[in-house]
Short mmCIF file of all heavy atoms in Angstrom, two decimals:
data_model
loop_
_atom_site.label_atom_id
_atom_site.label_comp_id
_atom_site.label_asym_id
_atom_site.label_seq_id
_atom_site.Cartn_x
_atom_site.Cartn_y
_atom_site.Cartn_z
N MET P 1 0.85 -1.17 0.00
CA MET P 1 0.00 0.00 0.00
C MET P 1 0.90 1.23 0.00
O MET P 1 1.73 1.40 0.87
CB MET P 1 -0.90 -0.03 1.24
CG MET P 1 -1.85 1.13 1.28
SD MET P 1 -2.97 1.09 2.68
CE MET P 1 -4.25 0.06 2.02
N ASN P 2 0.70 2.08 -1.00
CA ASN P 2 1.54 3.28 -1.07
C ASN P 2 0.78 4.49 -0.53
O ASN P 2 -0.38 4.42 -0.15
CB ASN P 2 2.03 3.52 -2.50
CG ASN P 2 0.88 3.74 -3.48
OD1 ASN P 2 -0.21 4.06 -3.07
ND2 ASN P 2 1.15 3.58 -4.76
N LEU P 3 1.45 5.62 -0.52
CA LEU P 3 0.90 6.84 0.08
C LEU P 3 -0.32 7.35 -0.67
O LEU P 3 -1.25 7.89 -0.07
CB LEU P 3 1.99 7.92 0.13
CG LEU P 3 1.66 9.16 0.94
CD1 LEU P 3 1.33 8.78 2.37
CD2 LEU P 3 2.82 10.12 0.90
N ALA P 4 -0.37 7.18 -1.99
CA ALA P 4 -1.52 7.65 -2.78
C ALA P 4 -2.79 6.88 -2.41
O ALA P 4 -3.88 7.46 -2.35
CB ALA P 4 -1.23 7.50 -4.27
N GLU P 5 -2.66 5.59 -2.14
CA GLU P 5 -3.82 4.80 -1.74
C GLU P 5 -4.34 5.24 -0.38
O GLU P 5 -5.55 5.33 -0.17
CB GLU P 5 -3.47 3.32 -1.71
CG GLU P 5 -3.18 2.73 -3.08
CD GLU P 5 -2.69 1.30 -2.99
OE1 GLU P 5 -2.51 0.79 -1.87
OE2 GLU P 5 -2.47 0.70 -4.04
N VAL P 6 -3.43 5.53 0.52
CA VAL P 6 -3.83 5.98 1.85
C VAL P 6 -4.53 7.34 1.75
O VAL P 6 -5.56 7.57 2.39
CB VAL P 6 -2.61 6.06 2.80
CG1 VAL P 6 -2.99 6.72 4.12
CG2 VAL P 6 -2.04 4.68 3.04
N ALA P 7 -3.99 8.24 0.94
CA ALA P 7 -4.62 9.56 0.77
C ALA P 7 -6.01 9.42 0.17
O ALA P 7 -6.93 10.15 0.57
CB ALA P 7 -3.75 10.44 -0.11
N GLY P 8 -6.19 8.53 -0.77
CA GLY P 8 -7.51 8.31 -1.36
C GLY P 8 -8.49 7.77 -0.34
O GLY P 8 -9.65 8.16 -0.32
N ASN P 9 -8.03 6.86 0.51
CA ASN P 9 -8.91 6.31 1.54
C ASN P 9 -9.30 7.37 2.56
O ASN P 9 -10.44 7.43 2.99
CB ASN P 9 -8.23 5.13 2.24
CG ASN P 9 -8.13 3.92 1.34
OD1 ASN P 9 -8.90 3.78 0.40
ND2 ASN P 9 -7.16 3.07 1.62
N VAL P 10 -8.34 8.20 2.94
CA VAL P 10 -8.64 9.26 3.90
C VAL P 10 -9.62 10.26 3.30
O VAL P 10 -10.53 10.75 3.97
CB VAL P 10 -7.33 9.95 4.37
CG1 VAL P 10 -7.63 11.19 5.18
CG2 VAL P 10 -6.48 8.98 5.16
N ALA P 11 -9.46 10.59 2.01
CA ALA P 11 -10.39 11.51 1.35
C ALA P 11 -11.79 10.91 1.29
O ALA P 11 -12.78 11.62 1.45
CB ALA P 11 -9.89 11.84 -0.05
N SER P 12 -11.90 9.62 1.08
CA SER P 12 -13.22 8.97 1.04
C SER P 12 -13.89 9.03 2.41
O SER P 12 -15.09 9.29 2.50
CB SER P 12 -13.08 7.51 0.61
OG SER P 12 -12.55 7.44 -0.68
N ILE P 13 -13.12 8.81 3.45
CA ILE P 13 -13.67 8.91 4.80
C ILE P 13 -14.09 10.34 5.09
O ILE P 13 -15.14 10.59 5.68
CB ILE P 13 -12.65 8.40 5.84
CG1 ILE P 13 -12.47 6.89 5.68
CG2 ILE P 13 -13.09 8.73 7.26
CD1 ILE P 13 -11.33 6.31 6.47
N GLY P 14 -13.29 11.30 4.64
CA GLY P 14 -13.62 12.71 4.85
C GLY P 14 -14.91 13.08 4.15
O GLY P 14 -15.73 13.82 4.70
N TYR P 15 -15.11 12.60 2.94
CA TYR P 15 -16.36 12.90 2.24
C TYR P 15 -17.54 12.24 2.94
O TYR P 15 -18.62 12.83 3.04
CB TYR P 15 -16.32 12.47 0.78
CG TYR P 15 -17.67 12.67 0.12
CD1 TYR P 15 -18.19 13.94 -0.02
CD2 TYR P 15 -18.43 11.60 -0.31
CE1 TYR P 15 -19.44 14.15 -0.57
CE2 TYR P 15 -19.67 11.79 -0.87
CZ TYR P 15 -20.17 13.06 -1.00
OH TYR P 15 -21.40 13.26 -1.54
N GLY P 16 -17.34 11.04 3.43
CA GLY P 16 -18.41 10.38 4.17
C GLY P 16 -18.82 11.19 5.40
O GLY P 16 -20.01 11.34 5.69
N LEU P 17 -17.85 11.73 6.10
CA LEU P 17 -18.15 12.57 7.25
C LEU P 17 -18.80 13.88 6.81
O LEU P 17 -19.67 14.41 7.50
CB LEU P 17 -16.88 12.84 8.04
CG LEU P 17 -16.28 11.64 8.77
CD1 LEU P 17 -14.95 12.00 9.40
CD2 LEU P 17 -17.24 11.10 9.80
N ALA P 18 -18.37 14.42 5.67
CA ALA P 18 -18.95 15.67 5.17
C ALA P 18 -20.40 15.47 4.72
O ALA P 18 -21.16 16.42 4.70
CB ALA P 18 -18.12 16.21 4.01
N ALA P 19 -20.78 14.26 4.38
CA ALA P 19 -22.14 13.99 3.94
C ALA P 19 -23.12 13.82 5.10
O ALA P 19 -24.33 13.87 4.89
CB ALA P 19 -22.17 12.75 3.06
N ILE P 20 -22.60 13.65 6.30
CA ILE P 20 -23.49 13.46 7.46
C ILE P 20 -24.27 14.73 7.76
O ILE P 20 -25.48 14.70 7.99
CB ILE P 20 -22.67 13.02 8.70
CG1 ILE P 20 -22.16 11.61 8.48
CG2 ILE P 20 -23.50 13.09 9.96
CD1 ILE P 20 -21.21 11.14 9.57
N GLY P 21 -23.60 15.88 7.73
CA GLY P 21 -24.25 17.15 8.05
C GLY P 21 -25.41 17.48 7.13
O GLY P 21 -26.52 17.76 7.60
N PRO P 22 -25.20 17.45 5.80
CA PRO P 22 -26.34 17.71 4.91
C PRO P 22 -27.46 16.69 5.06
O PRO P 22 -28.63 17.05 4.94
CB PRO P 22 -25.72 17.64 3.52
CG PRO P 22 -24.30 18.00 3.72
CD PRO P 22 -23.94 17.42 5.07
N GLY P 23 -27.12 15.45 5.35
CA GLY P 23 -28.17 14.45 5.55
C GLY P 23 -29.06 14.78 6.73
O GLY P 23 -30.29 14.70 6.67
N ILE P 24 -28.43 15.19 7.82
CA ILE P 24 -29.19 15.59 9.01
C ILE P 24 -29.99 16.86 8.71
O ILE P 24 -31.15 16.99 9.09
CB ILE P 24 -28.24 15.79 10.21
CG1 ILE P 24 -27.65 14.44 10.62
CG2 ILE P 24 -28.95 16.45 11.38
CD1 ILE P 24 -26.54 14.54 11.64
N GLY P 25 -29.35 17.81 8.01
CA GLY P 25 -30.02 19.07 7.68
C GLY P 25 -31.26 18.87 6.82
O GLY P 25 -32.30 19.48 7.06
N VAL P 26 -31.15 18.02 5.82
CA VAL P 26 -32.30 17.75 4.95
C VAL P 26 -33.43 17.08 5.73
O VAL P 26 -34.60 17.41 5.56
CB VAL P 26 -31.87 16.87 3.75
CG1 VAL P 26 -33.07 16.32 3.01
CG2 VAL P 26 -31.00 17.67 2.81
N GLY P 27 -33.07 16.18 6.62
CA GLY P 27 -34.09 15.53 7.45
C GLY P 27 -34.83 16.52 8.34
O GLY P 27 -36.06 16.46 8.47
N ILE P 28 -34.09 17.44 8.94
CA ILE P 28 -34.71 18.43 9.81
C ILE P 28 -35.60 19.36 9.00
O ILE P 28 -36.74 19.67 9.39
CB ILE P 28 -33.64 19.21 10.59
CG1 ILE P 28 -32.98 18.28 11.61
CG2 ILE P 28 -34.23 20.43 11.27
CD1 ILE P 28 -31.77 18.89 12.30
N VAL P 29 -35.10 19.85 7.85
CA VAL P 29 -35.87 20.77 7.02
C VAL P 29 -37.17 20.11 6.55
O VAL P 29 -38.25 20.71 6.64
CB VAL P 29 -35.03 21.25 5.82
CG1 VAL P 29 -35.90 21.95 4.79
CG2 VAL P 29 -33.93 22.18 6.27
N ALA P 30 -37.09 18.89 6.06
CA ALA P 30 -38.28 18.21 5.56
C ALA P 30 -39.27 17.93 6.69
O ALA P 30 -40.48 18.13 6.53
CB ALA P 30 -37.89 16.92 4.86
N GLY P 31 -38.76 17.51 7.83
CA GLY P 31 -39.65 17.21 8.96
C GLY P 31 -40.38 18.44 9.46
O GLY P 31 -41.58 18.40 9.74
N LYS P 32 -39.65 19.53 9.59
CA LYS P 32 -40.28 20.76 10.08
C LYS P 32 -41.27 21.32 9.05
O LYS P 32 -42.28 21.92 9.42
CB LYS P 32 -39.22 21.81 10.42
CG LYS P 32 -38.36 21.44 11.60
CD LYS P 32 -39.19 21.39 12.86
CE LYS P 32 -38.33 21.07 14.06
NZ LYS P 32 -39.09 21.08 15.31
N THR P 33 -40.98 21.13 7.77
CA THR P 33 -41.92 21.60 6.75
C THR P 33 -43.22 20.81 6.79
O THR P 33 -44.31 21.38 6.70
CB THR P 33 -41.29 21.49 5.35
OG1 THR P 33 -40.08 22.26 5.34
CG2 THR P 33 -42.22 22.02 4.29
N VAL P 34 -43.12 19.51 6.95
CA VAL P 34 -44.33 18.68 7.05
C VAL P 34 -45.13 19.08 8.29
O VAL P 34 -46.36 19.17 8.26
CB VAL P 34 -43.95 17.18 7.08
CG1 VAL P 34 -45.14 16.33 7.44
CG2 VAL P 34 -43.38 16.76 5.75
N GLU P 35 -44.42 19.35 9.39
CA GLU P 35 -45.09 19.79 10.61
C GLU P 35 -45.82 21.12 10.39
O GLU P 35 -46.95 21.31 10.82
CB GLU P 35 -44.05 19.93 11.72
CG GLU P 35 -44.60 20.29 13.07
CD GLU P 35 -43.50 20.38 14.11
OE1 GLU P 35 -42.58 19.55 14.07
OE2 GLU P 35 -43.57 21.29 14.94
N ALA P 36 -45.16 22.05 9.70
CA ALA P 36 -45.78 23.35 9.43
C ALA P 36 -46.97 23.21 8.48
O ALA P 36 -47.97 23.92 8.63
CB ALA P 36 -44.75 24.30 8.84
N MET P 37 -46.87 22.31 7.50
CA MET P 37 -48.00 22.08 6.57
C MET P 37 -49.19 21.49 7.31
O MET P 37 -50.34 21.78 6.97
CB MET P 37 -47.58 21.16 5.44
CG MET P 37 -46.74 21.80 4.38
SD MET P 37 -46.38 20.58 3.10
CE MET P 37 -45.17 21.44 2.15
N ALA P 38 -48.92 20.67 8.30
CA ALA P 38 -50.03 20.09 9.07
C ALA P 38 -50.72 21.16 9.91
O ALA P 38 -51.93 21.10 10.11
CB ALA P 38 -49.50 18.98 9.97
N ARG P 39 -49.95 22.14 10.36
CA ARG P 39 -50.55 23.20 11.19
C ARG P 39 -51.29 24.24 10.34
O ARG P 39 -52.32 24.75 10.76
CB ARG P 39 -49.46 23.90 12.00
CG ARG P 39 -48.90 23.05 13.10
CD ARG P 39 -47.75 23.76 13.79
NE ARG P 39 -47.12 22.88 14.73
CZ ARG P 39 -47.10 23.07 16.03
NH1 ARG P 39 -47.70 24.12 16.55
NH2 ARG P 39 -46.50 22.22 16.82
N GLN P 40 -50.72 24.58 9.18
CA GLN P 40 -51.33 25.59 8.31
C GLN P 40 -51.32 25.11 6.86
O GLN P 40 -50.43 25.45 6.09
CB GLN P 40 -50.58 26.91 8.42
CG GLN P 40 -50.71 27.56 9.78
CD GLN P 40 -50.07 28.92 9.81
OE1 GLN P 40 -49.24 29.25 8.98
NE2 GLN P 40 -50.47 29.72 10.78
N PRO P 41 -52.29 24.30 6.48
CA PRO P 41 -52.31 23.74 5.13
C PRO P 41 -52.43 24.79 4.02
O PRO P 41 -52.00 24.55 2.90
CB PRO P 41 -53.53 22.83 5.12
CG PRO P 41 -54.04 22.75 6.50
CD PRO P 41 -53.38 23.82 7.30
N GLU P 42 -52.98 25.96 4.33
CA GLU P 42 -53.13 26.98 3.30
C GLU P 42 -51.80 27.58 2.86
O GLU P 42 -51.70 28.20 1.81
CB GLU P 42 -54.08 28.09 3.77
CG GLU P 42 -53.57 28.94 4.93
CD GLU P 42 -53.86 28.35 6.30
OE1 GLU P 42 -54.43 27.24 6.37
OE2 GLU P 42 -53.53 29.00 7.30
N LEU P 43 -50.74 27.39 3.63
CA LEU P 43 -49.41 27.91 3.28
C LEU P 43 -48.51 26.84 2.67
O LEU P 43 -47.31 27.05 2.55
CB LEU P 43 -48.73 28.49 4.52
CG LEU P 43 -49.35 29.74 5.12
CD1 LEU P 43 -48.60 30.17 6.37
CD2 LEU P 43 -49.36 30.86 4.10
N SER P 44 -49.07 25.71 2.28
CA SER P 44 -48.24 24.60 1.83
C SER P 44 -47.40 24.94 0.60
O SER P 44 -46.27 24.47 0.48
CB SER P 44 -49.08 23.35 1.58
OG SER P 44 -49.97 23.58 0.52
N GLY P 45 -47.90 25.76 -0.30
CA GLY P 45 -47.12 26.13 -1.49
C GLY P 45 -45.87 26.92 -1.14
O GLY P 45 -44.78 26.64 -1.63
N GLN P 46 -46.04 27.92 -0.27
CA GLN P 46 -44.89 28.72 0.16
C GLN P 46 -43.91 27.87 0.97
O GLN P 46 -42.69 28.02 0.82
CB GLN P 46 -45.34 29.90 1.01
CG GLN P 46 -46.03 30.98 0.22
CD GLN P 46 -46.47 32.11 1.13
OE1 GLN P 46 -46.87 31.87 2.26
NE2 GLN P 46 -46.39 33.33 0.62
N LEU P 47 -44.44 27.02 1.83
CA LEU P 47 -43.57 26.18 2.65
C LEU P 47 -42.77 25.21 1.79
O LEU P 47 -41.59 24.96 2.04
CB LEU P 47 -44.41 25.41 3.68
CG LEU P 47 -45.04 26.26 4.77
CD1 LEU P 47 -46.02 25.44 5.57
CD2 LEU P 47 -43.97 26.85 5.67
N ARG P 48 -43.41 24.66 0.77
CA ARG P 48 -42.71 23.72 -0.11
C ARG P 48 -41.57 24.41 -0.85
O ARG P 48 -40.48 23.86 -0.98
CB ARG P 48 -43.71 23.10 -1.10
CG ARG P 48 -43.13 21.95 -1.88
CD ARG P 48 -44.18 21.28 -2.76
NE ARG P 48 -45.27 20.75 -1.96
CZ ARG P 48 -46.54 21.16 -2.05
NH1 ARG P 48 -46.86 22.11 -2.90
NH2 ARG P 48 -47.47 20.62 -1.31
N THR P 49 -41.81 25.62 -1.33
CA THR P 49 -40.76 26.38 -2.02
C THR P 49 -39.59 26.65 -1.09
O THR P 49 -38.43 26.48 -1.46
CB THR P 49 -41.33 27.71 -2.56
OG1 THR P 49 -42.43 27.41 -3.42
CG2 THR P 49 -40.29 28.50 -3.30
N THR P 50 -39.90 27.08 0.12
CA THR P 50 -38.85 27.36 1.10
C THR P 50 -38.10 26.08 1.46
O THR P 50 -36.88 26.10 1.65
CB THR P 50 -39.46 28.00 2.36
OG1 THR P 50 -40.21 29.15 1.97
CG2 THR P 50 -38.40 28.39 3.34
N MET P 51 -38.81 24.97 1.55
CA MET P 51 -38.16 23.69 1.86
C MET P 51 -37.18 23.30 0.76
O MET P 51 -36.08 22.86 1.06
CB MET P 51 -39.21 22.58 2.02
CG MET P 51 -38.60 21.22 2.29
SD MET P 51 -39.77 19.86 2.25
CE MET P 51 -40.15 19.75 0.51
N ILE P 52 -37.58 23.47 -0.48
CA ILE P 52 -36.69 23.10 -1.58
C ILE P 52 -35.44 23.96 -1.56
O ILE P 52 -34.32 23.46 -1.79
CB ILE P 52 -37.45 23.19 -2.92
CG1 ILE P 52 -38.49 22.08 -2.99
CG2 ILE P 52 -36.49 23.10 -4.10
CD1 ILE P 52 -39.44 22.19 -4.15
N LEU P 53 -35.57 25.24 -1.26
CA LEU P 53 -34.40 26.10 -1.14
C LEU P 53 -33.50 25.66 0.01
O LEU P 53 -32.27 25.63 -0.12
CB LEU P 53 -34.83 27.56 -0.94
CG LEU P 53 -35.30 28.29 -2.17
CD1 LEU P 53 -35.89 29.63 -1.78
CD2 LEU P 53 -34.16 28.47 -3.15
N GLY P 54 -34.09 25.33 1.14
CA GLY P 54 -33.30 24.86 2.28
C GLY P 54 -32.56 23.56 1.98
O GLY P 54 -31.40 23.39 2.36
N ILE P 55 -33.21 22.66 1.28
CA ILE P 55 -32.57 21.40 0.91
C ILE P 55 -31.43 21.66 -0.07
O ILE P 55 -30.37 21.06 0.03
CB ILE P 55 -33.61 20.42 0.33
CG1 ILE P 55 -34.51 19.91 1.44
CG2 ILE P 55 -32.95 19.26 -0.39
CD1 ILE P 55 -35.68 19.07 0.98
N ALA P 56 -31.64 22.59 -1.01
CA ALA P 56 -30.58 22.90 -1.98
C ALA P 56 -29.35 23.47 -1.29
O ALA P 56 -28.22 23.09 -1.61
CB ALA P 56 -31.11 23.89 -3.03
N PHE P 57 -29.56 24.36 -0.32
CA PHE P 57 -28.42 24.92 0.41
C PHE P 57 -27.72 23.86 1.24
O PHE P 57 -26.49 23.85 1.35
CB PHE P 57 -28.86 26.09 1.29
CG PHE P 57 -29.21 27.33 0.52
CD1 PHE P 57 -30.33 28.05 0.82
CD2 PHE P 57 -28.41 27.76 -0.53
CE1 PHE P 57 -30.67 29.19 0.11
CE2 PHE P 57 -28.74 28.90 -1.25
CZ PHE P 57 -29.86 29.62 -0.92
N SER P 58 -28.48 22.95 1.83
CA SER P 58 -27.87 21.88 2.61
C SER P 58 -27.06 20.95 1.72
O SER P 58 -25.96 20.53 2.08
CB SER P 58 -28.94 21.08 3.34
OG SER P 58 -29.57 21.87 4.30
N GLU P 59 -27.59 20.62 0.56
CA GLU P 59 -26.88 19.72 -0.35
C GLU P 59 -25.64 20.38 -0.94
O GLU P 59 -24.69 19.70 -1.31
CB GLU P 59 -27.81 19.24 -1.46
CG GLU P 59 -28.86 18.26 -0.99
CD GLU P 59 -28.27 16.98 -0.45
OE1 GLU P 59 -27.25 16.51 -0.97
OE2 GLU P 59 -28.84 16.45 0.51
N ALA P 60 -25.65 21.71 -1.04
CA ALA P 60 -24.46 22.42 -1.52
C ALA P 60 -23.27 22.15 -0.60
O ALA P 60 -22.13 22.05 -1.06
CB ALA P 60 -24.74 23.90 -1.64
N LEU P 61 -23.53 22.02 0.69
CA LEU P 61 -22.44 21.71 1.62
C LEU P 61 -21.86 20.32 1.35
O LEU P 61 -20.65 20.13 1.44
CB LEU P 61 -22.95 21.79 3.06
CG LEU P 61 -23.38 23.17 3.54
CD1 LEU P 61 -23.98 23.08 4.94
CD2 LEU P 61 -22.21 24.13 3.52
N GLY P 62 -22.71 19.37 1.02
CA GLY P 62 -22.22 18.04 0.67
C GLY P 62 -21.37 18.06 -0.59
O GLY P 62 -20.35 17.39 -0.68
N LEU P 63 -21.79 18.85 -1.58
CA LEU P 63 -21.01 18.96 -2.81
C LEU P 63 -19.68 19.65 -2.55
O LEU P 63 -18.66 19.29 -3.15
CB LEU P 63 -21.80 19.72 -3.87
CG LEU P 63 -23.00 18.97 -4.42
CD1 LEU P 63 -23.79 19.87 -5.36
CD2 LEU P 63 -22.58 17.71 -5.13
N LEU P 64 -19.66 20.64 -1.65
CA LEU P 64 -18.39 21.27 -1.28
C LEU P 64 -17.45 20.26 -0.62
O LEU P 64 -16.24 20.29 -0.85
CB LEU P 64 -18.63 22.45 -0.35
CG LEU P 64 -19.20 23.69 -0.99
CD1 LEU P 64 -19.53 24.73 0.08
CD2 LEU P 64 -18.23 24.28 -2.00
N GLY P 65 -18.00 19.37 0.19
CA GLY P 65 -17.18 18.33 0.79
C GLY P 65 -16.60 17.39 -0.25
O GLY P 65 -15.44 16.97 -0.15
N LEU P 66 -17.37 17.06 -1.28
CA LEU P 66 -16.88 16.21 -2.35
C LEU P 66 -15.78 16.90 -3.13
O LEU P 66 -14.73 16.31 -3.42
CB LEU P 66 -18.03 15.84 -3.29
CG LEU P 66 -17.65 15.00 -4.52
CD1 LEU P 66 -17.12 13.65 -4.08
CD2 LEU P 66 -18.84 14.85 -5.43
N VAL P 67 -15.99 18.18 -3.46
CA VAL P 67 -14.99 18.93 -4.21
C VAL P 67 -13.70 19.07 -3.40
O VAL P 67 -12.60 18.92 -3.94
CB VAL P 67 -15.56 20.30 -4.64
CG1 VAL P 67 -14.47 21.20 -5.20
CG2 VAL P 67 -16.66 20.11 -5.66
N ALA P 68 -13.84 19.35 -2.12
CA ALA P 68 -12.64 19.47 -1.28
C ALA P 68 -11.89 18.14 -1.21
O ALA P 68 -10.66 18.12 -1.22
CB ALA P 68 -13.05 19.93 0.13
N GLY P 69 -12.64 17.05 -1.15
CA GLY P 69 -11.99 15.74 -1.13
C GLY P 69 -11.24 15.45 -2.42
O GLY P 69 -10.15 14.88 -2.41
N ILE P 70 -11.81 15.87 -3.54
CA ILE P 70 -11.14 15.65 -4.84
C ILE P 70 -9.92 16.55 -4.95
O ILE P 70 -8.84 16.11 -5.38
CB ILE P 70 -12.13 15.91 -5.99
CG1 ILE P 70 -13.18 14.81 -6.03
CG2 ILE P 70 -11.40 15.99 -7.32
CD1 ILE P 70 -14.32 15.06 -7.00
N MET P 71 -10.07 17.82 -4.56
CA MET P 71 -8.95 18.75 -4.70
C MET P 71 -7.80 18.45 -3.77
O MET P 71 -6.64 18.47 -4.17
CB MET P 71 -9.45 20.18 -4.46
CG MET P 71 -10.30 20.73 -5.57
SD MET P 71 -10.93 22.38 -5.24
CE MET P 71 -9.42 23.29 -4.99
N PHE P 72 -8.11 18.19 -2.51
CA PHE P 72 -7.05 18.06 -1.51
C PHE P 72 -6.68 16.63 -1.19
O PHE P 72 -5.60 16.37 -0.68
CB PHE P 72 -7.46 18.78 -0.22
CG PHE P 72 -7.74 20.24 -0.43
CD1 PHE P 72 -8.98 20.76 -0.17
CD2 PHE P 72 -6.75 21.08 -0.91
CE1 PHE P 72 -9.24 22.11 -0.37
CE2 PHE P 72 -6.99 22.42 -1.11
CZ PHE P 72 -8.25 22.93 -0.83
N GLY P 73 -7.56 15.69 -1.49
CA GLY P 73 -7.28 14.31 -1.15
C GLY P 73 -6.92 13.44 -2.33
O GLY P 73 -6.38 12.36 -2.18
N GLY P 74 -7.22 13.89 -3.50
CA GLY P 74 -6.87 13.12 -4.69
C GLY P 74 -7.72 11.88 -4.87
O GLY P 74 -7.23 10.80 -5.10
N LEU P 75 -9.05 12.02 -4.78
CA LEU P 75 -9.94 10.87 -4.98
C LEU P 75 -9.78 10.26 -6.35
O LEU P 75 -9.62 10.77 -7.35
CB LEU P 75 -11.40 11.30 -4.80
CG LEU P 75 -11.89 11.38 -3.38
CD1 LEU P 75 -13.34 11.88 -3.36
CD2 LEU P 75 -11.82 10.06 -2.69
#
C-alpha cells in the first residue's frame, strides 16, 4: 500500500463525514416543513418552495465536501 492509496482512503472517509451534516439538515428541514404544513395547510405552497431552497443549500455543503476531497485528497 503506497501513500496515494492511503490519501484516497482518507479523502473517502472525509467525504463520508462531510455527507453526514447535509443528511441531518435535509431531514430536519423536511420534517419541520411537514409539521408546518399540518398546522397551516393553506401555506403549503410557500412552505414547499422554502423547503426546496433549504434542501438545496444543505446539499451544496455536501457537494463542497466532495470537491474538497477531490482537490485536496486526490480521490
Side-chain angles (χ1 to χ4, degrees):
M1 182 177 274
N2 61 19
L3 190 58
E5 292 174 357
V6 172
N9 290 336
V10 171
S12 298
I13 291 170
Y15 175 64
L17 291 174
I20 291 173
I24 293 171
V26 167
I28 291 172
V29 167
K32 293 295 182 177
T33 302
V34 169
E35 184 179 321
M37 283 182 190
R39 290 175 187 244
Q40 294 186 339
E42 67 274 3
L43 293 178
S44 64
Q46 288 179 324
L47 291 170
R48 189 175 300 117
T49 302
T50 305
M51 178 188 71
I52 290 171
L53 283 171
I55 288 173
F57 288 136
S58 294
E59 288 298 324
L61 294 175
L63 291 174
L64 286 174
L66 177 64
V67 170
I70 289 172
M71 288 178 58
F72 301 119
L75 278 177

